[in-house]
Amino acid sequence: IVLGGKVWSGFHGIGSEIGHMIIEMDGKDCNCGNRGCLERYCSATAIILAARAAVMQYQDSAIMTKAEGDLMKINAKIVFDAAKEGDELALRLFGDYVKALATTIVNIIHFLDPEVIALGGGVSKAGDFLLDAVRTEVAKMVMYKTLPYARIEIAKLGPDAGIIGAAMLGA
């Protein structure tokens, strides 16, 4: 979170951990020790794990074809590419991902009313395919339908935005 041109990390220095917002009570176990954190539903790792579990029941999915039948080759790009091509399983996984991400964005909009929300990380490489889906879902859920709300964009630094920002803090 950037406020007044400065990174905001809260009173105790532990704020802005959006990835560890709990979006599902008693949800999936997270590496942080909690359950239901955003990262377990909206990260490249989350979509990979979901795809690996799902293809066990849907072996004929384009995901498995693109991964050459190897579960360990499944990555977020494969899932998103299969979704772009209309693969039913990939579309379901992508839809779940988008819904969780959009829900979080709407919560941030309702709580902070930011000017811009930038999507970074590895999945940001999905570009407009992801952006269009997220914008559509957010528009359905945002409370004030007739008022402006945060622009949702892909981070200009793409998947490296977080690490570059961290490095700049240390400079």
Side-chain angles (χ1 to χ4, degrees):
I1 298 174
V2 179
L3 297 173
K6 296 183 180 178
V7 174
W8 182 80
S9 57
F11 186 77
H12 299 97
I14 58 171
S16 299
E17 286 290 342
I18 293 168
H20 293 286
M21 287 176 44
I22 296 171
I23 65 166
E24 185 171 325
M25 290 176 54
D26 300 322
K28 298 174 184 175
D29 289 337
C30 183
N31 294 336
C32 75
N34 270 327
R35 295 172 58 110
C37 292
L38 176 65
E39 281 193 15
R40 292 296 287 128
Y41 301 87
C42 287
S43 64
T45 301
I47 205 155
I48 291 164
L49 293 174
R52 286 179 183 164
V55 295
M56 299 305 287
Q57 293 178 319
Y58 301 95
Q59 295 273 329
D60 61 340
S61 169
I63 295 169
M64 280 302 277
T65 303
K66 290 179 177 301
E68 300 169 344
D70 184 350
L71 287 177
M72 299 314 291
K73 288 185 178 179
I74 295 173
N75 58 38
K77 181 181 182 331
I78 284 174
V79 176
F80 285 6
D81 286 349
K84 286 178 191 175
E85 294 170 9
D87 179 74
E88 186 177 328
L89 176 61
L91 283 168
R92 182 172 56 81
L93 293 167
F94 179 73
D96 291 346
Y97 178 90
V98 166
K99 185 141 191 150
L101 182 55
T103 298
T104 302
I105 289 171
V106 168
N107 285 332
I108 292 168
I109 288 169
H110 291 167
F111 183 69
L112 290 175
D113 187 24
E115 179 181 4
V116 177
I117 293 177
L119 306 178
V123 295
S124 66
K125 292 179 185 177
D128 288 339
F129 181 68
L130 174 63
L131 200 54
D132 292 344
V134 169
R135 286 175 175 161
T136 298
E137 196 65 29
V138 166
K140 292 178 198 173
M141 292 189 280
V142 75
M143 184 168 51
Y144 298 109
K145 307 276 189 229
T146 59
L147 296 176
Y149 54 87
R151 288 187 341 267
I152 303 165
E153 305 290 344
I154 297 294
K156 294 204 183 304
L157 298 173
D160 296 326
I163 194 72
I164 291 170
M168 291 178 75
L169 284 175

